[in-house]
Amino acid sequence: MRKLAVSAAMTSALIATAVAAKEPTSTNADAWQRAAATEKKMTDTERVVMTSGITALPNAGEKIPEDAVLGAGYVAGIPRLGVPALKETDAGLGVSWALGARGNEGATALPSGMALAATWNQELAYQAGQMVGAETRAKGFNVLLAGGVNLVRDPRGGRNFEYFSEDPLLSGILGGYSIAGAQSNHIISTVKHFAFNNQETARKFGNVTISEAAARESELLAFKLAIEIGNPGSVMCSYNRLNGPYTCGSEWLLQKVLKRDWGYKGFVMSDWGAVYEPGFAWAGLDHQSGRSSDPQVYFADQLLTDAGTDAKRKSRISDMNRRILWAVYSNGLDRFPVLPGEKIDKAGHEALAGEVARQGIVLLRNERGALPLAAGAKSIAVIGGFADTGMLSGGGSSQVHGDGGPAAMIPGGGRGLFNGWEQYQRGTTPLAAIRKRAGQDVTVTYRTGNYIAEAVEQARKADVAIVFANQWQSEGRDNPDLSLPRGQDALIAAVAAANPNTVVVLQTGSAVLMPWLDQTAAVLEAWYPGVQGGEAIASVLFGDTNPSGRLPVTFPASLEQLPHPVLPGHTEADPDKNGAGAPGQQVTIDYNVDGSDVGYRWFARQGHKPLFPFGYGLSYTNFATSGLSVKGGKATVTVQNTGGRAGATVAQVYLVARGKAATRRLVGFQRVSLDAGASKIVTMTIDLRLLADWKDGRWSMPRTTYYFAVGENAEALSSPIGIRLPAKRWAD
Ligand code: GLC
């Protein structure tokens, strides 16, 4: 039985092994030799078996094989050669519910990717991935379609909750460690959606335009880091077009960048419904996923027909198989076959989900010491957010539920497969957790918030009012703006007007506007907090947990501050059609506007002041960072807990100028826990790609003075220190 709870030391050791995987370890090299040997033994008919797979769900248009597990996908193996079938499940936040196809058998629901990102804790990311990977195996799957590392380019993006951050370093590192954790269970993980699928509107017909330099310095760097650290068996290409071709048929993206420049050994699988011709195989796609989602089966036998006697195409088909086999062998799917029914440490898994939730909660505002809740509070009015029902979760293929399925589903407004129902996860509800923690002699009332006057009445009578406010996000649809839906902004304003001691607890997919902010006493961002989210929120509210989350995305002060105040394609596309459009419909999504200056970098370039900056978060104690030095590719800084209680913070080092040219790039970060009064010297390795530009096909650092600053967010930074560095150029 896999013990999940490994010590930090063991995790570090495990991670070291995983990270070392970025070098061709014996496993990787052996796997490649074994793959070549097996492929040589294949017949031509066998060579097309694994090039396509089915959606293993009822009514998906294909007969489901006996040995399939109901879920995202199934790929037949080659028993004659000992190659196992691939049984695929979503996704990064837990083994997905798959629309309830497996009955009431659920899984441990992690908090959202945004919550995990707010921990800035790669060890925790590894353990989260390891936990999901263990449950993947226990349910009979051997492929986890996880590792979503697309950058959060637009706060309205419908899948932001699944992703990590606006920054390539933070996204790449956390994504890489979670992939490594998942694959430590001898299963394949993906990294996805390669690349630039950063919005749901027009996802199937949007054409993303971006220069190569901006592409390499932003999202491609996130993918490169995730691949270096996580060594994923497969890369999932995305729905959108990139500078013309669909990514799944882009020779530049798949053959040049991924396979030649980066030396990637695994296989590229398509997203479900992202293939439009057999030619995608010749452009570098290795596997047509969920083939009934496409207009036709373009791979499988069709490839043999299309290849005919063309030696180059036949060699490509051999390469497709070698790559799939490399993923199987390098992760030991043949040596450690999945045996359904493996026991899992459910309590341990839920405790881990709770730890992610606690570390991911960001304290955004805390006036007059409103939090932690005063011990003397005798009456608490809890309002809204379905806080008596469950924890909000994100919609789409990554939707997870525990045993018994959703605690509640309310119409989400969409008509697509995924975006129809806003779903709440079972567990101790926030209201129950607050009642339990408050104790018998505190009166805790609850009102839904549907009727503002009634809620205000309760708030007025209470010592403290806690308003839960939710913003649902889902695959298949973007949020039209950054307001809180269903009149919650008005509700919060009315409650805060009635009781100055109003605390707002946000459960949002990513950034929202807060027109009521100045009227409130405190604001917590809890994201989608997962199965133990209720307890985690109560733990922070009552001070059992000192909040340590730091924003992985910028919270804008208005839509006008964004590179695209109107989401590209929003007017043309039907937001509820799962990003699909009319045949031949085209929308240009121009990322050359911000280029590689995504998020906080854009705000710094434009001189915009956000509502809350990237990296921001308050604590119940205080920290000071000092003594920044940068030498030999490492940044060193002293962090001190100058307050009265233990806590954790994240030291962040930014490049703020090169010569006379101002810039803003996160180049290193380190989460650090300290007792009151304690201090620690932390050291971070600086990845030179963050100091460079992509020029003429290579990374290029000019000879100049590089200025670095340290702080606890992208705005509050120390005076910079400068070091001269020589010019340097190198390949990706
Ligand atoms: C979906 C998603 C992808 C998921 C796949 C299988 O449409 O884009 O993330 O892994 O299909 O469910």
Side-chain angles (χ1 to χ4, degrees):
M1 184 182 75
R2 280 175 195 295
K3 277 305 288 168
L4 171 79
V6 288
S7 68
M10 276 185 72
T11 303
S12 310
L14 288 167
I15 288 175
T17 313
V19 172
K22 75 179 183 182
E23 302 307 330
T25 60
S26 59
T27 314
N28 284 354
D30 296 349
W32 192 249
Q33 281 154 12
R34 286 189 63 204
T38 302
E39 192 277 331
K40 274 203 178 66
K41 296 174 193 160
M42 286 176 161
T43 64
D44 276 352
T45 309
E46 287 170 331
R47 284 193 175 93
V48 291
V49 168
M50 302 191 85
T51 63
S52 79
I54 69 164
T55 297
L57 288 173
N59 317 316
E62 295 214 45
K63 185 176 172 328
I64 299 176
E66 277 301 302
D67 64 325
V69 183
L70 292 182
Y74 174 90
V75 182
I78 304 173
R80 179 180 77 84
L81 298 173
V83 182
L86 303 184
K87 301 170 186 178
E88 304 166 323
T89 181
D90 287 304
L93 309 182
V95 176
S96 76
W97 177 242
L99 304 169
R102 294 190 301 277
N104 276 335
E105 169 229 304
T108 301
L110 276 175
S112 57
M114 195 63 58
L116 177 57
T119 72
W120 295 56
N121 185 339
Q122 56 265 42
E123 279 77 14
L124 201 55
Y126 181 92
Q127 292 186 26
Q130 188 181 50
M131 182 277 278
V132 176
E135 296 200 0
T136 297
R137 282 187 66 93
K139 293 176 187 299
F141 297 103
N142 56 12
V143 178
L144 180 63
L145 304 167
V149 297
N150 297 94
L151 295 188
V152 176
R153 270 190 177 265
D154 192 300
R156 294 160 290 196
R159 298 186 79 169
N160 289 351
F161 72 93
E162 277 187 73
Y163 301 149
F164 292 106
S165 137
E166 62 196 30
D167 178 79
L169 184 71
L170 184 58
S171 293
I173 288 178
L174 294 180
Y177 279 99
S178 65
I179 290 164
Q183 295 195 148
S184 69
N185 293 280
H186 297 298
I187 61 172
I188 289 170
S189 175
T190 50
V191 64
K192 69 183 185 180
H193 307 81
F194 193 59
F196 299 99
N197 182 176
N198 307 96
Q199 65 177 56
E200 292 304 284
T201 301
R203 73 173 178 171
K204 289 205 171 181
F205 59 95
N207 178 29
V208 168
T209 56
I210 186 168
S211 71
E212 175 167 3
R216 297 263 188 168
E217 294 164 12
S218 60
E219 183 147 312
L220 293 186
L221 179 54
F223 274 90
K224 182 77 166 49
L225 283 162
I227 290 170
E228 287 172 0
I229 296 169
N231 202 27
S234 182
V235 171
M236 184 191 293
C237 50
S238 57
Y239 287 119
N240 55 288
R241 293 171 180 271
L242 178 60
N243 294 325
Y246 285 104
T247 62
C248 291
S250 167
E251 179 125 17
W252 177 79
L253 186 67
L254 304 183
Q255 296 287 54
K256 167 150 178 41
V257 173
L258 179 63
K259 295 177 181 178
R260 282 202 297 276
D261 289 357
W262 295 359
Y264 180 65
K265 292 280 181 294
F267 72 104
V268 180
M269 67 163 76
S270 72
D271 201 337
W272 270 238
V275 183
Y276 299 96
E277 54 172 276
F280 283 17
W282 319 134
L285 180 65
D286 300 307
H287 177 85
Q288 178 184 12
S289 304
R291 61 194 183 198
S292 57
S293 311
D294 294 322
Q296 65 183 75
V297 180
Y298 295 110
F299 285 25
D301 299 344
Q302 180 67 34
L303 287 183
L304 279 184
T305 313
D306 265 51
T309 56
D310 179 317
K312 197 164 167 246
R313 289 186 172 184
K314 291 172 76 73
S315 151
R316 175 82 261 280
I317 293 175
S318 292
D319 179 49
M320 292 163 82
N321 282 280
R322 282 195 294 272
R323 290 175 174 279
I324 295 168
L325 291 166
W326 176 84
V328 169
Y329 295 147
S330 63
N331 287 293
L333 272 66
D334 58 330
R335 288 171 291 136
F336 304 91
V338 165
L339 305 168
E342 285 177 358
K343 290 286 164 280
I344 57 164
D345 174 8
K346 190 169 176 350
H349 291 186
E350 293 196 353
L352 177 70
E355 184 59 20
V356 175
R358 279 187 295 278
Q359 290 195 24
I361 288 174
V362 182
L363 178 60
L364 293 173
R365 177 183 173 89
N366 192 17
E367 299 295 304
R368 307 182 295 279
L371 292 179
L373 291 176
K378 288 293 167 240
S379 55
I380 300 174
V382 178
I383 296 162
F386 298 96
D388 65 333
T389 302
M391 285 64 69
L392 180 56
S393 57
S397 56
S398 69
Q399 174 79 62
V400 180
H401 284 299
D403 293 347
M409 294 171 65
I410 59 177
R415 300 195 307 277
L417 179 61
F418 293 128
N419 54 29
W421 298 92
E422 178 176 333
Q423 301 182 33
Y424 285 76
Q425 292 169 331
R426 291 176 191 281
T428 304
T429 65
L431 176 62
I434 289 170
R435 281 192 162 135
K436 183 174 172 214
R437 183 57 189 73
Q440 299 297 330
D441 56 359
V442 178
T443 305
V444 180
T445 60
Y446 178 70
R447 292 294 184 275
T448 62
N450 296 343
Y451 299 91
I452 292 185
E454 181 199 44
V456 164
E457 178 59 27
Q458 291 302 318
R460 199 189 309 286
K461 291 189 290 195
D463 292 331
V464 59
I466 302 175
V467 186
F468 281 78
N470 298 355
Q471 172 220 44
W472 182 59
Q473 285 190 328
S474 174
E475 177 177 347
R477 64 174 297 143
D478 298 316
N479 297 100
D481 55 42
L482 298 180
S483 67
L484 287 170
R486 292 197 294 270
Q488 295 175 99
D489 284 323
L491 170 67
I492 294 169
V495 168
N499 186 332
N501 202 16
T502 291
V503 175
V504 176
V505 178
L506 296 170
Q507 291 183 95
T508 65
S510 49
V512 290
L513 298 178
M514 304 179 202
W516 33 261
L517 183 64
D518 293 344
Q519 282 73 52
T520 62
V523 179
L524 279 186
E525 174 58 79
W527 315 108
Y528 300 154
V531 64
Q532 288 203 349
E535 293 98 327
I537 290 166
S539 171
V540 170
L541 287 171
F542 286 90
D544 303 334
T545 294
N546 186 353
S548 58
R550 296 290 181 269
L551 292 181
V553 290
T554 302
F555 274 47
S558 73
L559 288 176
E560 285 62 45
Q561 291 183 329
L562 299 178
H564 297 280
V566 176
L567 197 71
H570 185 69
T571 44
E572 294 93 329
D574 175 342
D576 300 331
K577 276 177 61 185
N578 205 19
Q585 192 167 356
Q586 278 273 339
V587 159
T588 296
I589 301 171
D590 182 11
Y591 287 158
N592 284 312
V593 174
D594 43 347
S596 58
D597 291 330
V598 181
Y600 68 90
R601 297 185 186 188
W602 168 260
F603 276 71
R605 181 172 114 186
Q606 301 298 105
H608 290 331
K609 177 126 182 63
L611 186 63
F612 293 106
F614 175 80
Y616 181 87
L618 299 176
S619 170
Y620 294 152
T621 185
N622 294 299
F623 294 94
T625 50
S626 59
L628 173 64
S629 81
V630 175
K631 204 162 148 223
K634 291 188 184 306
T636 302
V637 65
T638 300
V639 183
Q640 185 181 11
N641 179 341
T642 57
R645 64 172 285 178
T649 186
V650 179
Q652 302 156 39
V653 176
Y654 293 82
L655 176 72
V656 293
R658 281 182 301 187
K660 297 202 176 339
T663 185
R664 188 72 49 90
R665 293 181 181 182
L666 179 72
V667 297
F669 63 88
Q670 180 62 50
R671 181 185 170 85
V672 55
S673 298
L674 291 168
D675 288 337
S679 63
K680 186 176 179 186
I681 295 175
V682 293
T683 300
M684 304 155 233
T685 302
I686 293 176
D687 188 311
L688 291 185
R689 288 169 289 193
L690 276 307
L691 309 187
D693 299 315
W694 182 264
K695 264 195 190 125
D696 309 324
R698 303 167 82 76
W699 291 105
S700 171
M701 279 175 63
R703 172 184 161 74
T704 185
T705 300
Y706 291 73
Y707 293 92
F708 300 90
V710 63
E712 289 185 281
N713 66 66
E715 299 227 321
L717 294 173
S718 65
S719 329
I721 60 164
I723 64 166
R724 286 209 53 87
L725 292 173
K728 188 177 167 65
R729 280 171 55 74
W730 68 98
D732 204 359

